[in-house]
Amino acid sequence: LDLNPPFKSLYGIDNLIVENKDFLDALHGDGFADGGSATNTMNRYSRKSIQNVLDYNITLAEEHNLSALLGSERQYSKIDAWGATRKTVSDPFFNEYQGGFSTAVPAGNLLVENYLESYFGRINYDYNRKYYLSVNARRDGYSAFAPGNKWGNFYGGSLGWTVSEENFFKNSAIGEVVSQFKLRASYGVVGNNQGIASYASSSFYDAGLNGTNPTLFYAQAGNKNLTWETSKKTDFGLNFGLFNDRITGELGYYKNNIDGLILSVPQATSTGIPNSSILTNIGS
């Protein structure tokens, strides 16, 4: 029984700070209409993650090899950005944000956060390095799909047969030429949440100004049925080696069927929906 290491815990922190400075001259170009302008923004990107994995390996009777993995992962991401634009410079020789300007308006302000929680497991088995079996499953929850459909269940499995390890193959004439011959097949369902905004399924209002008056405006029409995109992957193939593996090769058939692709579905302008579209699991 191999328990080295049986349990592993990883904790990670990723912080990125980006400062943007932009000055437009009052005498010409894009800054002429505003009498000169300067914009400063600060963006802080942070991500914290923790992963716990339990991994066992065991060999029985020198022929049965079994490994099992069980784990969980949590990931929290946040974007915190703020800034302002100052307009109408008091002296054309100023070229910094800290110079004299008559007005200032908010710019580049953003506060976004999301959370991903995952549970996963895998079992691998092989008999005498001839027959292979692997199954895996995972359950992922992503806050952008909350509250209704944030959880997705995904799974997969594979089979393999190393024909060249069989006695009938080794003792045949072809075994003298073909040193390796393996058949394999697999099927799996994988989830995808990449490219999805942190509040993709939610409807919300945003704050702004109507002239100098504070106001709220309809910013996004959500979809409470929005959920994970899925990829259904099928793979068949064989690996071979010739002349003591001096020549190796692989032949395979692969199919990836993406279902529930998230796309912006156009809506009638008369509905008053922001950007005249709603995100929906409609593509494939």
Side-chain angles (χ1 to χ4, degrees), residues 229-274:
E229 298 176 349
T230 58
S231 297
K232 300 175 182 178
K233 301 183 178 182
T234 304
D235 187 11
F236 298 97
L238 61 88
N239 299 69
F240 64 89
L242 305 177
F243 309 111
N244 201 24
D245 286 350
R246 288 193 176 97
I247 299 174
T248 60
E250 177 181 350
L251 295 174
Y253 167 82
Y254 177 80
K255 181 179 181 181
N256 184 19
N257 179 22
I258 301 175
D259 193 19
L261 192 66
I262 297 177
L263 298 174
S264 294
V265 179
Q267 307 293 314
T269 306
S270 59
T271 61
I273 291 175

Side-chain angles (χ1 to χ4, degrees), residues 167-240:
N167 289 329
F168 71 82
F169 191 95
K170 292 180 178 179
N171 297 329
S172 66
I174 194 174
E176 298 178 0
V177 178
V178 182
S179 51
Q180 177 197 159
F181 187 73
K182 182 179 180 179
L183 301 175
R184 54 179 171 76
S186 66
Y187 177 80
V189 179
V190 180
N192 177 48
N193 67 337
Q194 298 301 303
I196 308 302
S198 296
Y199 311 107
S201 66
S202 301
S203 298
F204 55 80
Y205 288 80
D206 204 349
L209 293 173
N210 183 10
T212 59
N213 300 312
T215 185
L216 294 174
F217 62 92
Y218 192 21
Q220 177 173 295
N223 178 4
K224 65 180 181 180
N225 296 317
L226 197 69
T227 189
W228 292 78
E229 298 176 349
T230 58
S231 297
K232 300 175 182 178
K233 301 183 178 182
T234 304
D235 187 11
F236 298 97
L238 61 88
N239 299 69
F240 64 89

